[in-house]
Amino acid sequence: MEMSIPAIKPQSSSAFSLPVYRASDLRVSHGANLGDTLSVANDIEHNDIYTLTDDAAPVRLGLNAASDNALSVADNTETGTPGASVQLDSCLTLMSPDGQTTELLVLAHTDPHGASRVEYALPFAALSPRIDYAVVRIDTAGLRAKLAEIACVSFARGTRITLASGAQVPIEDLAVGDRVLTRDDGIQPIRWIGQTTVRAVGEYAPIVISAGTLNNAHDLVLSPEHRLFIYQRNDAIGAGRAEVLVRARHLVNGSSVTRRNGGFVDYFQLLFDAHHIIYAEGIAAETLLLCARTRPALPDELSRRMASALAGHETRPHLGFEVGETLLAHPDTADILRRASTR
């Protein structure tokens, strides 16, 4: 008797998930708005001091991004009402008593009367209860580009990429036009290389996949949302298929796969005419996916020029191979996948 393999529902390429605090988790402990919860930019005062409540815990907000820059709550959310619109209100720069600064993106809903109400705060670094955070800057421009930076999958400096010749070249030594080996589409030229240097904290702290974890000879360091392509010779995680895409952050186990917090990290993004699976330190990993959530991170001219390539990114069959965190909730998931890929 033939066994039917359950189909994996393709996930929208415009959907992503972010760890946020609720607006009520942040209150003014000193300043003009004493006692108020986090609000819209027009109501926030410079030098107001916010404190995170003792019982605050981040929840994951699922978002969909549309081509017209509109945002809405996605189905895969732990908070909010799916379908509800979301606006980016502002970006606050907060300073702690020790002089450390962090940015916090303020997300709001619009009620039926057109008034904005802050619902969530997305900090770009970890916040701690009982610490005073003073507002030192309030920005209302460039918010979509800032959100897009988190959605752009990136490799850290030093990552060796496999070229058409078989040579493994550090990503910082690559150039536009270099021909890269892809898993499914042969040899493809690089169309754009992005580079950013950020503090390695919060959602920007890279994931380190130690040498040997997934049959890699050297450590692979990449952004948390980066997806790895793994072919299982046997379906060890119950995905219903051999081929799976796994987000790096879902593999963190505190030993062979860790999150590296602290200091700074140089991130590089590789863009092709289509979304590809390439080889980084010998591990099959995705390239930058061009879609509504990532396009604001590109230079304006490049974004317009690449508009015709959207179909080659968003309709790729392998995007349906992604598995969620539930199937990966095991302390030895990385080892299970390594063994499944070789046996």
Side-chain angles (χ1 to χ4, degrees), residues 113-136:
H113 304 290
S116 291
R117 183 183 72 254
V118 169
E119 293 287 346
Y120 306 107
L122 169 64
F124 291 166
L127 300 180
S128 300
R130 304 181 187 180
I131 298 293
D132 292 337
Y133 296 99
V135 178
V136 296

Side-chain angles (χ1 to χ4, degrees), residues 27-267:
R27 291 183 176 273
V28 179
S29 55
H30 304 281
N33 293 313
L34 180 64
D36 289 355
T37 60
L38 186 65
S39 187
V40 294
N42 288 341
D43 295 334
I44 297 174
E45 297 288 342
H46 284 90
N47 299 318
D48 267 358
I49 293 176
Y50 284 86
T51 304
L52 191 67
T53 60
D54 287 342
D55 59 350
V59 292
R60 296 204 75 89
L61 172 66
L63 288 177
N64 281 322
S67 58
D68 61 356
N69 282 341
L71 297 170
S72 62
V73 179
D75 291 335
N76 65 328
T77 189
E78 294 178 358
T79 184
T81 304
S85 65
V86 176
Q87 292 79 41
L88 300 179
D89 175 79
S90 57
C91 181
L92 307 183
T93 301
L94 306 178
M95 180 179 288
S96 59
D98 62 1
Q100 292 289 323
T101 59
T102 185
E103 291 182 317
L104 182 145
L105 203 57
V106 179
L107 293 81
H109 283 318
T110 301
D111 65 25
H113 304 290
S116 291
R117 183 183 72 254
V118 169
E119 293 287 346
Y120 306 107
L122 169 64
F124 291 166
L127 300 180
S128 300
R130 304 181 187 180
I131 298 293
D132 292 337
Y133 296 99
V135 178
V136 296
R137 185 181 176 90
I138 305 170
D139 288 319
T140 56
L143 305 181
R144 276 305 304 268
K146 194 166 289 292
L147 183 65
E149 287 178 5
I150 299 176
C152 289
V153 297
S154 309
F155 298 101
R157 177 180 292 275
T159 301
R160 296 183 304 170
I161 305 297
T162 302
L163 300 187
S165 64
Q168 293 187 321
V169 176
I171 194 166
E172 63 270 22
D173 294 337
L174 296 177
V176 171
D178 281 350
R179 290 150 53 83
V180 173
L181 178 65
T182 72
R183 184 184 186 276
D184 301 308
D185 299 281
I187 297 164
Q188 297 293 329
I190 299 172
R191 294 304 182 196
W192 177 74
I193 301 174
Q195 180 182 355
T196 53
T197 299
V198 296
R199 288 178 58 203
V201 292
E203 286 298 286
Y204 288 119
I207 304 299
V208 181
I209 300 175
S210 301
T213 301
L214 292 174
N215 303 305
N216 46 313
H218 301 88
D219 290 357
L220 174 61
V221 184
L222 69 178
S223 57
E225 293 297 317
H226 215 129
R227 291 178 292 194
L228 309 175
F229 181 96
I230 298 172
Y231 178 83
Q232 308 173 93
R233 294 181 182 274
N234 60 83
D235 183 14
I237 61 172
R241 67 184 315 140
E243 300 165 310
V244 293
L245 276 178
V246 179
R247 293 187 187 271
R249 67 179 173 85
H250 290 159
L251 297 178
V252 172
N253 55 22
S255 54
S256 62
V257 184
T258 57
R259 185 183 287 267
R260 180 184 291 168
N261 276 288
F264 290 82
V265 58
D266 292 332
Y267 276 139

